[in-house]
Amino acid sequence: MSQTFDWTSAYPSIRMPMFGRNVVATSHALAAQAGMRMLWKGGNAVDAAIATAAAKTLTEPCSNGLGSDAFCILWDGQELHGLNASGGAPAAWTPDYFARKYGPATRPPMRGWDSVTVPGAVGAWVALSERFGKLPFADLLEPAIEIAERGYLAPIVVQQKWAAAAAVPDLVRQPGFSEFFLPRGRAPDVGELVTLRAAARTLRAIAETKGKAFYEGEIAEAMARHAGANGGAMTLADLSAYRPEWVTPTRKDYRGYTLHEIPPNGQGIAAQIALGILESFDLAGMAVDGAEAQHLQIEAMKLAFADTYAHVADGPAMRVSPEAMLDDAYLASRAKLIDPRRAQDFGAGNPVRGGTIYLTAADESGMMVSFIQSNFMGFGSGVVVPEWGLSLQNRGYGFVLDETSPNCVAPGKRPFHTIIPGFLTQGGAPVMSFGVMGGNMQPQGHVQTLVRMIDHAQNPQAACDAPRWRFNQGLEINAESAMPADTLDGLVARGHRVAVIRDSYQDFGAGQFIWRMGDPGVEGYAAASDPRRDGQAVVW
């Protein structure tokens, strides 16, 4: 592609890019190996992504599981495709349902069965395999089954999250959680063998039936029974009706490139809005780590979140179209609200005229896959169907109970979602599949890394290593401790309330990037990783 990177880096990093023609990037080595096994067997990037995703449900169970939701954007060699595999609300869910059970509240509960929407990740694996895979579906789950049965040694970051969850009473008391995740009465120690044989049973049933057991057969029946026995509303009918949805990604041009995101109900549009606003400013003429450039990005992100939180919901329920939210003239008008010298707390505009894992894979045929799946908020709902090793997300917590909101809960409706895979093209050709993890950090990470790569020609590894900020609310931001002192002083002088955070993994996201440099069959890929955030950058 036309971008010429500076391959040096001014940021702390002990890893250098690696090169190859087939690559898998994710945050656990066993999961990456699972994907590479599929490529070595003659599979393609989709096969690798599915195998990796299945393995991740075991190696990082505090971030995702067999009861996760998922999204995917992929380049099949000719065109771009999007897959929304988030699930809808059980048929019984209404504002009145929650009012009767819980009294006055602004949203569904954070934990328990009444936070669980229909899980979509398994449906995503099946849909991707059927449409784009090369290998038999059962082959793709073999590495995950082996990991579940033989076990793996608990790594440091995963163990830290696991131990933190074990200390949260609201999680521990959820049905099935302690039985499955705390069999010794505690979280595993670093380096201790973790085996998840019940999950292996589930993976075998999914493999043998191409997912039917999960949505219509014995696993679905077990989920429905567990819900009924523990006060939940999920039924076999809710599960059997589920289908992932193929969608056309939204698009926003920026400096000659085009950023693609999954359309709402996800928050990917926030990254596109922010970049559309930043198009009005000459960021390339500013110091890459200086307060001036960082301030403008923070303010653009605030404006983007204001509109996203006000307007984004399940597509059919939205009163404002994504096209209107991304209109060039509207975003230029929003850019005029930014004061280069002063931080502000913005409200939503009116564009109407009148705990996650990410992975990416690419192969020598040119196929590129950007895939993300999550249980949300660390172990999700906390609910586990223990005999199946099935931990469930809590995406229902993304709904609100205000009937005037487009994101109000309703039967079958999908909630506002945080997980967003990203994809970059130029002139209709693929450039980069990428993603960043961590709740509302995800669009913020998309914006900060893209600005660094596109405006400042930083290579993907440097963009991943560079210190980040994270907007919280009002004038409050977090900043990584590696951010230059002059920059922090400059942000404070502009009115930002800055808290310096040293836990980079938890607060600023891990990321994976694959950048295509040319013909993958000839030039291949260069891969790198970010040890501070346990993330990876890959250049193709």
Side-chain angles (χ1 to χ4, degrees), residues 213-226:
F214 191 90
Y215 291 105
E216 302 174 21
E218 55 185 343
I219 303 172
E221 293 168 355
M223 274 193 275
R225 284 195 306 271
H226 196 272

Side-chain angles (χ1 to χ4, degrees), residues 182-475:
L182 308 173
R184 301 177 180 90
R186 58 170 174 78
D189 295 327
V190 172
E192 189 171 6
L193 184 67
V194 176
T195 53
L196 302 167
R197 293 187 178 87
R201 178 189 179 198
T202 302
L203 287 162
R204 288 189 186 281
I206 292 169
E208 291 167 0
T209 65
K210 287 190 175 181
K212 287 186 178 180
F214 191 90
Y215 291 105
E216 302 174 21
E218 55 185 343
I219 303 172
E221 293 168 355
M223 274 193 275
R225 284 195 306 271
H226 196 272
N230 292 282
M234 187 78 69
T235 66
L236 187 60
D238 293 322
L239 293 161
S240 63
Y242 178 70
R243 302 290 185 277
E245 180 186 6
W246 291 101
V247 297
T248 300
T250 54
R251 51 181 292 148
K252 187 62 189 170
D253 293 338
Y254 182 74
R255 318 282 201 218
Y257 294 88
T258 303
L259 172 62
H260 304 263
E261 302 275 359
I262 295 291
N265 55 318
Q267 65 173 340
I269 196 170
Q272 295 172 311
I273 292 171
L275 287 177
I277 291 170
L278 290 170
E279 189 93 43
S280 297
F281 300 92
D282 179 21
L283 295 177
M286 303 173 189
V288 61
D289 291 310
E292 183 181 19
Q294 300 307 312
H295 168 73
L296 292 174
Q297 292 171 66
I298 292 167
E299 297 298 281
M301 203 69 243
K302 290 180 186 177
L303 286 162
F305 275 135
D307 278 1
T308 297
Y309 294 150
H311 303 303
V312 168
D314 199 4
M318 286 180 62
R319 299 162 192 158
V320 177
S321 71
E323 291 77 16
M325 295 174 71
L326 294 172
D327 178 74
D328 288 339
Y330 172 67
L331 296 182
S333 72
R334 296 290 274 170
K336 292 177 181 178
L337 298 176
I338 295 177
D339 184 337
R341 297 169 300 278
R342 182 172 63 91
Q344 300 179 73
D345 185 4
F346 299 103
N350 180 14
V352 179
R353 296 188 176 186
T356 299
I357 67 90
Y358 176 79
L359 63 94
T360 178
D363 64 37
E364 59 188 333
S365 75
M367 180 177 281
M368 300 174 71
V369 180
S370 179
F371 186 94
I372 197 163
Q373 69 184 21
S374 172
N375 267 1
F376 194 36
M377 300 185 78
F379 284 104
S381 65
V383 173
V384 182
V385 184
E387 67 270 26
W388 291 96
L390 177 56
S391 63
L392 293 152
Q393 38 85 333
N394 59 335
R395 286 295 170 180
Y397 188 65
F399 282 121
V400 298
L401 303 180
D402 178 0
E403 296 191 54
T404 67
S405 169
N407 192 39
C408 182
V409 68
K413 187 176 181 179
R414 296 176 298 196
F416 178 92
H417 245 275
T418 59
I419 57 175
I420 54 171
F423 206 100
L424 197 69
T425 62
Q426 185 180 51
V431 173
M432 179 171 67
S433 54
F434 71 102
V436 173
M437 295 168 268
N440 76 346
M441 185 61 212
Q442 294 177 57
Q444 302 187 63
H446 285 203
V447 169
Q448 291 176 70
T449 52
L450 286 174
V451 165
R452 288 179 175 280
M453 284 181 260
I454 295 172
D455 288 282
H456 299 286
Q458 289 191 332
N459 70 74
Q461 182 62 64
C464 199
D465 289 342
R468 296 181 195 154
W469 47 262
R470 178 173 183 161
F471 166 66
N472 293 320
Q473 60 182 348
L475 302 179

